[in-house]
Amino acid sequence: MAPARPTRSRSGALCGHLLLALTILTFTCDACKKVVLQVPSQLDAEKFVGRVNLKECFQSANLIYSSDPDFQILEDGSLYTTNAILLSSEERSFTILLYNTENQEEKKLLVLLQHQTKKRHSKEKVLRRAKRRWAPIPCSMQENSLGPFPLFLQQIQSDTAQNYTIFYSIRGPGVDREPTNLFYVERDTGNLYCTRPVDREEYESFELIAFATTPDGYTPELPLPLVIRIEDENDNYPIFTETTYVFTVSENCRVGSTVGQVCATDKDEPDTMHTRLKYSIIEQLPAYPTLFSMHPATGVITTSSSQLDRELIDKYQLKIKVQDMDGQYFGLQTTSTCIINIGDVNDNLPTFTRTSYVTSVEENTVDVEILRVTVEDKDLMNTVNWRANYTILKGNENGNFKIVTDPKTNEGVLCVVKPLNYEERQQVNLQIGVVNEAPYSKEASSQSVMSTATVTVNVKNQDEGPECSPAVQTVQIKENVPVGTKSNGYKAYDPETRSSSGIRYKKLTDPKGWVTIDENEGSITIFRNLDREVESIRDGIYNITILASDKDGRTCTGTLGIILEDENDNGPVILKRTVVICKTVLSSADIVAVDPDGPTNGPPFDFSLESDPDSDLERKWRLVKINDTAARLFFQEDLPFGTYRVPVRITDRHGLSLITPLNVILCDCVTENDCTLRTDARTGHGEVRLGKWAILAILLGIALLFCILFTLVCGGTGAAKQPKVFPDDLAQQNLIVSNTEAPGDDKICPTNGFTTHTVGSSAQGICGTLGSGVKNGGQETIEMAKSGHQTLEPCRGTGHHHTLDSCRGGPVEVDNCRYTYSEWHNLTQTHLGEKVQLCNQDDKHKHAQDYVLTYNYEGKGSVAGSIGCCSERPEEDGLEFLDHLEPKFRTLAEACIKR
């Protein structure tokens, strides 16, 4: 029987293996996906196993269950152990159930756990597996893996290994770059290993390059990019951004008001359960009542009650917590502190400490403090919710008082700003109120929004001087009353006795000195004639200033207005005494009359012509009344232009009249201004008056004219006595030699004259100053410079043909050139003769280039003709052409012409 036990044991084990295989086969048939995870043989509780992609199997699952109670699956596919597990066999499997409650659809996902030692098969078993192509292979490893190390990760293999002996190698970060020696690959098998744990927060992935080469260095494959991704492990605690948060919220705020927001960070992989944070409040101090709540996902703190009262508790302290894994019990957590200050609002009214006050003040005092009142306010001190504003509600209708706030003590200061009169009121009752600077935040219910108090002000009597009341008093007097007439004057009184006895009066101002004042009674006496029509009197009122004083010297000042009653003592007049009638366009002119008296003694006016019986004034002129104050004057005959005197009588409504003589001007004009600017030619009696400046200008002009005449006379006398000379630089200013055919520079020879001798001719002299001449065959060519465009016409006579060509400018033609031989001979013979003698003084006995140049005959002369005709003539004149020269030749002309 003993041997049978092992047989039954082996049979039981075989049955167990068959049952597991059947279960896996059943799950595989029903499962939508199969996931294989490599795990160590021993797993601790709450250990991260791996992650599966649930969305590849079911997009809208809202219920997720694990068939194995030792494992827990989260919404993002993270798989955790709930208990410590020891894998007795090489494989363990369970099913993840995905269920959608809306459409009642269910799917299964098979998870197969394999022991990592299963990967370490013999080389032969590895060779028996299917060949892998040379392509990127997905590879990953767990962060902070416990090993055992070296930890097998993956195998890379090339299809070319069937034909060649292939050696495998890798390069990149973690191999030959930092962190070095973290990965290596077996040269013959292509197995990739990791040598130590890796922190994902330091290295999220490694990008390696794999190479396949033959022993002789041949590379049958291209380099293979190989990415090793580090699977995240929840190894980092979430951390608050601040150790202590401080927020402020107003008291009495509504439920749900935002207090503030806290924030935390987690270095684990984003968008995973490792970084899904949940916020909560652990503790509140003071604990009762609970006033705050926190949103678990956003960390926003809000009020959960409206019972926040700063006057009771002005600060709360919260202990808050943040936990990853969406707040599950195995998630990592951190705590922090939040202090919430309660902000003050004006929810407490200021109240007077007393309901009534009594004070006193002397009459006639001003700008004095008479009372201070205090209030109580529970709101925060030195804020707008605590500072008080006082106001006077009743009893200050005359504006005698004002109340202000003392900014240091918050007291109300009651002051007198307008004097009080004991004789009028002996006591004043005031009602004062107080509010805060900030408006009251609560709605007024049973209590009033303003606290009030009463103030009784007793007025003390004071011995005061006379009172001038009213300050302005009036009296009516007719103008032109006899001097010495008495009238009522100004009256002041004693406010104590309401009597005027014992008060003396004195006149301070009297612009015209028309009245005197009685010292004891204040009555006035007419001292000079009163005239209402004086310019300084306006509206018929004459003002004087009175000073009233009592026996103690106390005074008051008042004004007495004398109303002057009008009398008809002025006749109407015409202010505009001169009238202009433009006869060509008008036949009349309007005249306006005024009366200095008042309206009762003024218009309507009557207009009439005042003429003698023998006068023909009414035959020439006619008056037509336009309105109460104006009339129109017409001329009735065709009167000549001139000034006429027309007397006009104007009579007011009471028959008082006055004659105004008018000066009427009949003028040949269009407007009145045209006539006033003309002389006697149009009016017959116009006058032109010269002012002092016009007379001075005329005298200065006469003096200037005499100076010019005197200068001309003196200049003519001096010119007659001086001989005619030519300046040495005259040739340089006017004539230069042209047509030079030999080398050398032209030379200007200043001379006082020039004489040419032509073969076969005895003609001598030429007008003007010339440059170098040419003596050859009876033809001379001379150019003139700096003179504009002048051409001398030929002077007919004996001898050969001479020409004078111009250099520039327009032509100015002169018929002949006439000079006195004696003048030219005397001026030129001596100086120019010496120069001509030097023409043949060079070594070769040729003409010197500085003086005379030889010209060949070049054909017929120019249209200017010859100047060889300029022979000796007895005429004194012949220089008329010089009058037509330009201003540059005025000096030459004055030298040539004898004036």
Side-chain angles (χ1 to χ4, degrees):
M1 296 297 294
R5 292 180 179 176
T7 305
R8 287 196 299 268
S9 176
R10 287 193 296 268
S11 301
L14 180 60
C15 291
H17 285 295
L18 291 175
L19 182 61
L20 177 63
L22 182 60
T23 302
I24 295 175
L25 182 60
T26 304
F27 287 161
T28 304
C29 296
D30 295 338
C32 62
K33 183 179 180 182
K34 177 181 178 182
V35 178
V36 179
L37 299 177
Q38 305 293 331
V39 296
S41 60
Q42 184 177 356
L43 294 175
D44 296 332
E46 300 180 2
K47 179 70 175 179
F48 176 75
V49 178
R51 182 179 291 108
V52 295
N53 191 355
L54 301 178
K55 293 184 178 181
E56 293 182 357
C57 190
F58 207 157
Q59 293 290 335
S60 59
N62 48 20
L63 293 179
I64 304 174
Y65 299 99
S66 172
S67 62
D68 192 337
D70 291 335
F71 296 93
Q72 180 184 13
I73 185 71
L74 303 183
E75 295 178 0
D76 64 342
S78 299
L79 187 65
Y80 288 86
T81 59
T82 56
N83 302 308
I85 299 174
L86 179 63
L87 297 180
S88 58
S89 60
E90 295 183 350
E91 292 184 347
R92 181 172 178 173
S93 64
F94 60 92
T95 304
I96 297 175
L97 300 179
L98 306 176
Y99 186 75
N100 190 335
T101 57
E102 295 181 358
N103 53 16
Q104 297 182 356
E105 183 180 0
E106 179 180 341
K107 290 189 178 182
K108 299 179 181 179
L109 188 147
L110 179 63
V111 178
L112 180 63
L113 301 180
Q114 292 183 352
H115 196 287
Q116 290 181 349
T117 55
K118 185 178 179 180
K119 292 294 182 178
R120 296 187 176 183
H121 298 290
S122 62
K123 184 176 180 181
E124 292 78 11
K125 187 174 181 180
V126 171
L127 292 177
R128 285 198 300 268
R129 294 190 304 177
K131 300 293 182 179
R132 297 179 180 177
R133 297 186 58 80
W134 188 253
I137 303 172
C139 183
S140 64
M141 67 172 292
Q142 184 68 34
E143 176 187 15
N144 302 324
S145 176
L146 299 178
F149 294 102
L151 179 65
F152 174 80
L153 299 180
Q154 190 60 270
Q155 183 186 32
I156 55 176
Q157 191 174 14
S158 173
D159 291 345
T160 59
Q162 299 176 2
N163 302 322
Y164 301 95
T165 300
I166 298 299
F167 293 159
Y168 300 97
S169 62
I170 56 175
R171 294 180 184 176
V175 181
D176 53 356
R177 286 186 292 169
E178 289 295 333
T180 59
N181 301 322
L182 180 61
F183 302 101
Y184 73 91
V185 64
E186 290 182 349
R187 187 185 68 168
D188 298 328
T189 62
N191 292 335
L192 181 64
Y193 294 94
C194 178
T195 61
R196 58 183 182 269
V198 181
D199 187 2
R200 192 206 66 84
E201 285 69 42
E202 186 177 2
Y203 304 102
E204 294 184 0
S205 63
F206 294 90
E207 296 182 0
L208 307 180
I209 303 297
F211 300 92
T213 59
T214 60
D216 57 355
Y218 172 68
T219 57
E221 298 281 4
L222 294 174
L224 176 67
L226 181 62
V227 179
I228 301 176
R229 193 173 68 87
I230 308 302
E231 294 286 346
D232 183 46
E233 183 182 22
N234 190 20
D235 58 342
N236 290 278
Y237 285 82
I239 301 175
F240 281 102
T241 56
E242 297 182 19
T243 56
T244 302
Y245 292 89
V246 179
F247 301 116
T248 300
V249 63
S250 298
E251 62 177 330
N252 301 325
C253 62
R254 296 180 179 179
V255 176
S257 299
T258 300
V259 177
Q261 183 179 14
V262 299
C263 184
T265 58
D266 196 324
K267 294 182 180 179
D268 289 326
E269 185 176 0
D271 300 326
T272 64
M273 292 296 293
H274 299 163
T275 56
R276 183 175 294 183
L277 306 181
K278 186 175 184 179
Y279 301 90
S280 61
I281 298 175
I282 301 176
E283 183 182 13
Q284 173 187 304
L285 294 176
Y288 183 82
T290 302
L291 301 175
F292 305 98
S293 62
M294 176 178 285
H295 193 280
T298 61
V300 175
I301 302 175
T302 57
T303 58
S304 58
S305 174
S306 60
Q307 298 179 2
L308 292 174
D309 191 350
R310 190 204 65 83
E311 285 73 35
L312 295 178
I313 301 175
D314 62 351
K315 181 171 63 176
Y316 292 87
Q317 180 174 328
L318 303 179
K319 186 177 181 181
I320 56 178
K321 180 187 73 172
V322 60
Q323 189 172 14
D324 60 12
M325 303 299 296
D326 200 19
Q328 300 193 50
Y329 67 92
F330 52 85
L332 303 179
Q333 64 181 16
T334 306
T335 61
S336 181
T337 302
C338 178
I339 296 175
I340 300 176
N341 296 316
I342 307 303
D344 183 46
V345 297
N346 189 21
D347 57 343
N348 292 279
L349 291 172
T351 57
F352 286 103
T353 56
R354 297 170 55 184
T355 58
S356 63
Y357 300 87
V358 178
T359 185
S360 62
V361 63
E362 290 187 353
E363 65 173 336
N364 299 322
T365 56
V366 67
D367 296 332
V368 292
E369 176 185 324
I370 61 174
L371 180 66
R372 280 180 174 260
V373 296
T374 58
V375 294
E376 292 180 352
D377 197 326
K378 296 180 181 180
D379 290 322
L380 187 62
M381 294 182 60
N382 298 320
T383 63
V384 294
N385 302 324
W386 175 80
R387 286 192 288 268
N389 277 343
Y390 299 89
T391 182
I392 301 175
L393 302 177
K394 295 180 181 179
N396 193 32
E397 288 76 11
N398 295 329
N400 298 99
F401 305 93
K402 77 172 181 179
I403 187 168
V404 295
T405 304
D406 188 334
K408 296 181 179 179
T409 63
N410 207 33
E411 295 176 326
V413 182
L414 183 64
C415 304
V416 177
V417 295
K418 184 178 178 182
L420 294 167
N421 192 339
Y422 175 82
E423 287 71 28
E424 294 179 357
R425 298 179 67 181
Q426 290 78 35
Q427 189 180 77
V428 180
N429 294 319
L430 302 176
Q431 184 183 23
I432 58 176
V434 62
V435 294
N436 292 122
E437 291 184 3
Y440 188 57
S441 61
K442 292 183 178 180
E443 296 182 357
S445 56
S446 60
Q447 60 176 348
S448 173
V449 296
M450 178 180 290
S451 176
T452 61
T454 58
V455 179
T456 301
V457 181
N458 296 319
V459 182
K460 296 180 180 180
N461 188 22
Q462 189 182 53
D463 188 10
E464 50 193 342
E467 183 175 346
C468 295
S469 178
V472 179
Q473 301 177 17
T474 59
V475 60
Q476 290 187 352
I477 303 176
K478 289 186 177 182
E479 67 172 331
N480 300 323
V481 297
V483 175
T485 302
K486 291 185 178 182
S487 178
N488 296 330
Y490 194 88
K491 288 294 183 181
Y493 63 93
D494 187 349
E496 306 290 339
T497 62
R498 309 302 296 178
S499 173
S500 299
S501 61
I503 298 177
R504 295 181 177 273
Y505 302 91
K506 180 181 178 181
K507 182 176 65 173
L508 292 181
T509 60
D510 183 4
K512 297 295 183 180
W514 284 348
V515 298
T516 60
I517 188 168
D518 186 271
E519 183 180 4
N520 297 320
E521 298 181 358
S523 60
I524 60 173
T525 303
I526 305 303
F527 182 71
R528 290 188 178 90
N529 185 36
L530 301 180
D531 188 1
R532 181 183 176 277
E533 285 74 32
V534 175
E535 292 183 358
S536 59
I537 303 299
R538 292 189 177 181
D539 299 328
I541 300 177
Y542 179 67
N543 294 321
I544 60 175
T545 305
I546 306 298
L547 177 68
S549 61
D550 60 6
K551 59 183 179 179
D552 297 327
R554 289 169 293 194
T555 63
C556 68
T557 303
T559 301
L560 178 62
I562 302 175
I563 301 175
L564 299 176
E565 297 180 358
D566 185 38
E567 288 190 353
N568 193 16
D569 57 345
N570 295 279
V573 295
I574 300 174
L575 297 181
K576 186 178 180 182
R577 301 295 182 92
T578 301
V579 179
V580 177
I581 300 176
C582 293
K583 186 179 178 182
T584 57
V585 294
L586 296 174
S587 61
S588 64
D590 294 339
I591 56 177
V592 179
V594 295
D595 194 331
D597 292 328
T600 58
N601 299 315
F605 300 141
D606 292 329
F607 297 86
S608 61
L609 296 175
E610 186 70 19
S611 62
D612 298 332
D614 300 333
S615 175
D616 57 351
L617 186 64
E618 294 184 356
R619 182 173 54 85
K620 297 179 180 179
W621 304 94
R622 178 168 58 92
L623 274 174
V624 177
K625 186 176 179 180
I626 302 176
N627 52 36
D628 291 344
T629 60
R632 185 164 294 162
L633 179 64
F634 292 88
F635 63 89
Q636 302 188 105
E637 296 182 356
D638 189 10
L639 300 178
F641 296 125
T643 303
Y644 300 88
R645 185 176 182 276
V646 180
V648 178
R649 179 183 293 273
I650 305 102
T651 306
D652 61 15
R653 64 168 63 191
H654 297 297
L656 182 62
S657 63
L658 194 65
I659 299 175
T660 302
L662 294 180
N663 292 324
V664 182
I665 301 175
L666 289 181
C667 181
D668 183 10
C669 61
V670 177
T671 62
E672 184 177 341
N673 292 333
D674 296 340
C675 185
T676 57
L677 298 176
R678 292 176 179 171
T679 60
D680 297 349
R682 296 291 179 92
T683 63
H685 296 84
E687 295 182 358
V688 177
R689 295 183 180 181
L690 298 178
K692 57 183 180 179
W693 296 108
I695 296 174
L696 180 60
I698 293 174
L699 294 177
L700 291 177
I702 295 173
L704 181 61
L705 182 59
F706 276 109
C707 291
I708 295 174
L709 294 176
F710 181 76
T711 303
L712 293 177
V713 172
C714 294
T717 305
K721 296 179 180 180
Q722 294 179 0
K724 218 179 265 187
V725 295
F726 292 102
D728 291 340
D729 62 345
L730 199 58
Q732 186 175 357
Q733 296 178 4
N734 297 282
L735 301 177
I736 62 173
V737 177
S738 178
N739 298 335
T740 303
E741 297 184 0
D745 299 332
D746 295 340
K747 186 173 182 181
I748 304 301
C749 298
T751 63
N752 291 330
F754 183 74
T755 304
T756 58
H757 299 275
T758 308
V759 178
S761 173
S762 61
Q764 298 181 8
I766 186 172
C767 63
T769 304
L770 305 179
S772 301
V774 179
K775 182 180 179 181
N776 184 17
Q779 181 176 359
E780 293 180 356
T781 303
I782 305 172
E783 275 192 23
M784 180 178 293
K786 294 185 181 180
S787 301
H789 301 63
Q790 292 97 4
T791 303
L792 296 179
E793 291 292 319
C795 302
R796 294 180 176 83
T798 59
H800 292 278
H801 187 73
H802 304 274
T803 63
L804 179 64
D805 295 333
S806 63
C807 294
R808 60 182 66 88
V812 177
E813 298 184 0
V814 182
D815 293 338
N816 50 28
C817 301
R818 288 174 287 183
Y819 291 91
T820 303
Y821 174 76
S822 60
E823 293 181 1
W824 286 105
H825 187 272
N826 293 333
L827 292 174
T828 62
Q829 188 64 29
T830 305
H831 181 75
L832 200 56
E834 295 176 357
K835 298 296 182 180
V836 175
Q837 295 297 326
L838 298 177
C839 292
N840 296 321
Q841 296 303 317
D842 57 353
D843 297 337
K844 297 180 180 181
H845 301 285
K846 293 183 179 180
H847 296 295
Q849 295 180 359
D850 294 336
Y851 300 98
V852 180
L853 299 177
T854 303
Y855 286 81
N856 293 327
Y857 181 73
E858 297 179 353
K860 184 178 180 180
S862 65
V863 295
S866 175
I867 60 173
C869 62
C870 297
S871 59
E872 179 181 352
R873 294 189 181 183
E875 290 82 6
E876 293 293 331
D877 297 325
L879 301 179
E880 294 84 0
F881 74 99
L882 294 176
D883 294 333
H884 303 285
L885 299 179
E886 293 181 357
K888 296 180 179 181
F889 290 90
R890 295 297 173 85
T891 304
L892 177 61
E894 291 176 1
C896 295
I897 300 176
K898 181 178 180 182
R899 298 185 182 276

